[in-house]
C-alpha cells in the first residue's frame, strides 16, 4: 500500500536544501556589497593614482591578503589595480648582525692608585663634573699588577664597547647579559670618538627577564635613531642597584629600506574572563603587525601573553609575550612599547596575565597596529571613482604590479596620491548585522542556520509521524 502525506513534498524539498548552502555570486561584486566605501578625488589629469587604506577600512578587511578590495568607476565597473608595495613595506631579507663585541668593565680611578697594565683612561661627564675612570682593553690573562689593580678598584655599573672598526649602522643592540629576574632594567647608551667627549644615544624600552618556563624576556635594546659604529666607542650603563652583568653585545644592522609608519586603530572594549584575561572578538581579518596595550593606572607592571584563534571552537594558540607597564608618566620610556605579532590574522584575540597577576581590566586599552596597504589603480571610465573594502568570500582581482608598472612611467610608489573625500559605512561583511549581534560571541551565523534547518526538519518529520499514527489508529 502506498501512502503520500500532504506534508511529504515540502519535507523532501526541505531535506534537499540541507546540501551545501549556496553563497552569493562572487564573480562580479557590486559596490553596495562592500562594508566600507570611500569616494576618491584624483589629481587633475592623472590617468593613474595610488591610495592607502585608512584605519577604518583596515578594520573591515575580510582577507589577510587584501583580496576584498576594489576600485569602481561611476558606472560601478571595477578598474584595474595593483598592490603598490608589500604589506610590510620593508626588505624581505632578515636583518643582519654585527660580530659580537666584548663588554669591558669600567673601574674607578683614584689619584693614589696605580692603573692596571694596559689600562686606558676614560672621562665621564656626570652631573656637570668630569670624572676619570679606567678600562683595560685587552683579553690577556689578568694576573700580576693588572689583577691586583682590578681587585682593589671599584667596578662601575657600566661597560665599554670598542666598535671603531665596524662600518655598519645599527638600530638595536642584543645583550649577552645576566639580568635580575622580574625587574625592568633601564639602560643608558652613549658614544664617543676619543673616550673624553660623550654623546648620549636615545634608546627605547627597558630590558627584562621574568622567571618561569615561557615567561617574557627582552634582551634587545632598541635605538630611537640609527647609529653609525665606525670610529666610535660605546658606553652602556645601568642602575648600580639592579645587579646587571653584561658580557657582550651584538648589533642589529639597519635595513636598507625603512618601513613606513604603521596604521593604528583602537579596538573596542574587551570582555573580561576572570581577573587575569580579556578577549576581543575581531570583525576583520587584516594581519596584525603589533598590539599596543596601555593602561591609565600608574605604577603598573604585568607580564602578559597574547593568544589568537579563528573560530570559537578552536584552541587558543600563542602569538607573543611581553610586559604591560606604566611608571607614572607618558614619556616613551615609562610605558611599554607595542608587542609585535608578526602579521597574525585571527578572529579572536586574548590577553592573559602571567605569574598569577591580575590585569588592570577597567583601564586596559588595546590598539591594533597594521602595516599599510597601498594600491595603484587606472582611472578608466568616468569618475568619480570609489574605493570599496570589506566583503567576505571575494576572489582576488589585483593585477601583478609588474604588469601595471609596464604601462606607467616611474615607480608605483611615486604615483600621485588620491584623496578620500567621502566615506559610506554599511554592515560589516563579517556578518555584523542585527541577527549577528544577537548571537553569543564567537558564534558563526552559518552554524546557526544549519542547526535551524536541522531542527525544522526534525519538527516536520515529527509532524508527519504523528499524522501517520493518527490515521493508523483511526483505521
Amino acid at each position: 500500500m502506498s501512502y503520500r502525506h500532504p506534508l511529504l513534498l515540502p519535507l523532501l524539498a526541505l531535506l534537499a536544501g540541507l546540501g551545501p548552502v549556496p553563497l552569493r555570486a562572487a564573480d562580479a561584486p557590486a559596490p553596495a556589497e562592500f562594508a566600507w566605501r570611500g569616494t576618491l578625488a584624483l589629481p587633475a589629469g592623472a590617468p593613474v593614482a595610488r591610495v592607502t587604506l585608512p584605519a577604518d577600512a583596515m578594520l573591515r578587511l575580510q582577507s589577510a591578503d587584501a583580496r576584498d578590495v576594489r576600485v569602481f568607476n561611476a558606472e560601478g565597473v571595477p578598474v584595474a589595480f595593483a598592490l603598490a608595495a608589500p604589506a610590510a613595506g620593508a626588505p624581505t631579507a632578515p636583518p643582519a648582525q654585527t660580530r659580537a663585541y666584548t663588554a669591558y668593565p669600567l673601574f674607578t680611578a683614584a689619584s693614589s692608585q696605580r692603573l692596571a697594565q694596559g689600562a686606558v683612561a676614560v672621562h665621564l661627564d656626570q652631573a656637570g663634573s668630569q670624572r676619570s675612570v679606567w678600562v683595560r682593553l685587552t683579553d690577556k690573562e689578568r694576573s700580576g699588577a693588572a689583577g691586583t689593580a682590578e681587585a682593589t678598584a671599584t667596578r662601575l655599573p657600566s661597560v665599554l664597547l670598542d666598535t671603531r672598526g665596524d662600518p655598519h649602522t645599527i638600530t638595536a643592540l642584543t645583550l649577552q647579559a645576566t639580568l635580575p629576574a622580574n625587574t625592568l632594567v633601564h639602560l643608558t647608551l652613549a658614544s664617543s670618538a676619543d673616550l673624553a667627549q660623550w654623546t648620549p644615544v636615545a634608546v627605547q624600552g627597558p630590558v627584562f627577564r621574568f622567571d618561569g618556563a615561557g615567561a617574557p624576556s627582552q634582551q634587545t635594546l632598541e635605538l630611537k635613531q640609527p647609529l653609525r659604529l665606525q670610529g666610535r666607542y660605546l658606553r652602556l650603563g645601568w642602575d648600580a642597584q639592579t645587579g646587571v652583568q653584561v658580557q657582550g653585545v651584538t648589533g642589529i644592522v639597519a635595513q636598507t629600506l625603512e618601513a613606513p609608519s604603521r596604521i593604528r586603530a583602537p579596538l573596542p572594549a574587551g570582555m573580561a574572563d576572570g581577573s587575569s584575561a580579556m578577549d576581543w572578538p575581531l570583525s576583520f581579518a587584516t594581519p596584525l603587525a603589533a598590539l599596543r596595550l596601555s593602561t591609565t593606572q600608574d605604577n603598573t607592571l604585568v607580564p602578559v601573553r597574547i593568544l589568537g584563534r579563528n573560530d570559537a571552537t578552536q584552541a587558543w594558540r600563542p602569538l607573543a609575550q611581553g610586559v604591560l607597564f606604566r611608571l607614572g608618566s607618558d614619556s616613551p620610556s615609562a610605558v611599554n612599547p607595542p608587542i609585535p605579532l608578526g602579521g597574525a590574522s585571527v578572529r579572536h584575540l586574548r590577553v592573559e596575565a602571567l605569574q598569577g597577576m591580575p590585569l588592570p581590566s577597567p583601564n586596559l586599552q588595546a590598539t591594533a597596529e597594521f602595516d599599510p596597504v597601498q594600491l595603484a589603480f587606472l582611472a578608466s571610465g568616468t569618475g568619480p571613482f570609489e574605493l570599496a573594502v570589506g566583503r567576505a568570500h571575494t576572489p582576488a582581482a589585483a593585477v601583478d604590479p609588474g604588469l601595471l608598472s609596464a604601462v606607467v612611467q616611474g615607480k608605483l610608489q611615486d604615483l600621485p596620491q588620491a584623496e578620500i573625500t567621502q566615506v559610506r559605512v554599511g554592515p560589516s561583511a563579517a556578518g555584523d548585522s542585527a541577527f549577528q549581534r544577537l548571537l553569543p560571541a564567537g558564534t558563526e551565523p552559518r552554524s546557526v542556520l544549519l542547526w535551524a534547518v536541522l531542527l525544522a526538519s526534525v519538527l516536520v518529520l515529527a509532524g508527519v509521524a504523528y499524522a501517520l499514527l493518527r490515521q493508523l489508529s483511526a483505521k
Side-chain angles (χ1 to χ4, degrees):
M1 180 180 68
S2 63
Y3 174 76
R4 177 174 296 178
H5 192 272
L7 294 177
L8 186 58
L9 291 179
L11 174 62
L12 294 175
L14 184 61
L15 292 176
L18 285 176
V21 177
L23 299 176
R24 183 185 302 175
D27 54 342
E33 298 175 3
F34 289 81
W36 184 95
R37 290 179 291 159
T39 303
L40 299 175
L42 276 67
V48 187
R50 61 186 175 94
V51 64
T52 302
L53 269 59
D56 53 348
M58 301 285 277
L59 290 175
R60 289 170 174 81
L61 270 175
Q62 298 303 304
S63 58
D65 56 356
R67 62 178 54 217
D68 56 317
V69 175
R70 294 290 189 276
V71 178
F72 296 95
N73 58 23
E75 288 78 24
V77 178
V79 302
F81 74 94
L83 296 178
T92 56
Q97 294 184 343
T98 66
R99 70 174 182 86
Y101 287 97
T102 301
Y104 300 103
L106 296 175
F107 297 89
T108 55
S111 58
S112 60
Q113 185 182 43
R114 180 185 175 187
L115 296 185
Q117 183 180 0
V120 178
V122 181
H123 297 281
L124 301 182
D125 188 1
Q126 295 179 330
S129 62
Q130 286 284 344
R131 182 184 183 189
S132 295
V133 300
W134 60 271
V135 62
R136 193 167 66 90
L137 299 175
T138 176
D139 292 328
K140 294 181 180 179
E141 191 69 26
R142 295 174 181 174
S143 59
T148 303
E150 292 186 10
T152 58
T154 301
R155 183 168 177 170
L156 300 178
S158 185
V159 294
L160 189 73
L161 308 166
D162 185 2
T163 61
R164 291 173 297 170
D166 197 317
H168 295 106
T169 298
I170 62 170
T171 57
L173 290 172
T174 300
L175 308 182
Q176 291 83 53
T178 302
L179 301 178
N182 309 323
T183 302
L184 298 181
V185 179
H186 293 274
L187 300 174
T188 59
L189 185 66
S191 70
S192 173
D194 55 6
L195 297 178
Q197 302 296 325
W198 292 90
T199 302
V201 178
V203 299
Q204 59 182 12
V207 294
F208 49 82
R209 177 186 62 83
F210 283 81
D211 280 334
S217 176
Q218 173 64 276
Q219 294 199 201
T220 298
L221 182 65
E222 301 285 344
L223 310 184
K224 291 187 177 181
Q225 299 291 337
L227 175 66
R228 185 171 178 82
L229 297 179
Q230 191 165 31
R232 312 293 294 182
Y233 294 97
L234 299 183
R235 189 183 81 239
L236 197 63
W238 56 89
D239 187 352
Q241 306 302 320
T242 57
V244 175
Q245 293 184 5
V246 179
Q247 293 83 35
V249 302
T250 302
I252 298 179
V253 179
Q255 299 279 52
T256 303
L257 296 179
E258 185 178 352
S261 300
R262 287 174 175 167
I263 296 175
R264 298 178 176 88
L267 298 180
M271 297 179 296
D273 184 5
S275 62
S276 60
M278 186 167 287
D279 298 340
W280 284 266
L282 304 181
S283 60
F284 57 86
T286 316
L288 291 163
L291 183 69
R292 180 183 292 271
L293 297 174
S294 59
T295 178
T296 57
Q297 181 176 320
D298 290 339
N299 303 324
T300 298
L301 174 63
V302 183
V304 298
R305 66 174 177 178
I306 302 175
L307 306 100
R309 63 185 180 186
N310 285 317
D311 190 89
T313 61
Q314 296 177 349
W316 293 103
R317 59 185 176 93
L319 301 178
Q321 291 185 340
V323 176
L324 166 66
F325 65 88
R326 179 184 176 88
L327 304 180
S329 68
D330 291 326
S331 65
S333 61
V335 294
N336 56 280
I339 301 175
L341 296 184
S345 176
V346 295
R347 289 294 189 169
H348 303 269
L349 203 60
R350 182 179 179 89
V351 174
E352 293 181 350
L354 300 178
Q355 299 184 342
M357 301 182 66
L359 282 175
S361 300
N363 304 305
L364 183 61
Q365 302 168 355
T367 300
E369 294 194 356
F370 308 108
D371 288 320
V373 175
Q374 187 179 93
L375 54 94
F377 64 95
L378 288 174
S380 55
T382 59
F385 293 89
E386 189 175 55
L387 174 65
V389 177
R391 180 181 182 272
H393 312 294
T394 303
V399 301
D400 186 87
L403 181 62
L404 192 59
S405 298
V407 298
V408 300
Q409 294 182 352
K411 299 179 180 179
L412 298 183
Q413 292 85 354
D414 297 333
L415 293 173
Q417 182 82 27
E419 294 185 11
I420 300 174
T421 59
Q422 184 179 359
V423 173
R424 288 171 293 280
V425 179
S428 171
D432 194 15
S433 60
F435 172 69
Q436 173 71 10
R437 289 191 291 269
L438 293 175
L439 300 178
T443 305
E444 299 293 336
R446 179 182 174 86
S447 300
V448 175
L449 176 61
L450 291 176
W451 278 106
V453 171
L454 181 60
L455 179 60
S457 304
V458 171
L459 293 176
V460 172
L461 286 173
V464 171
Y466 177 73
L468 287 173
L469 287 175
R470 288 193 59 183
Q471 291 191 13
L472 290 175
S473 298
K475 290 181 179 181

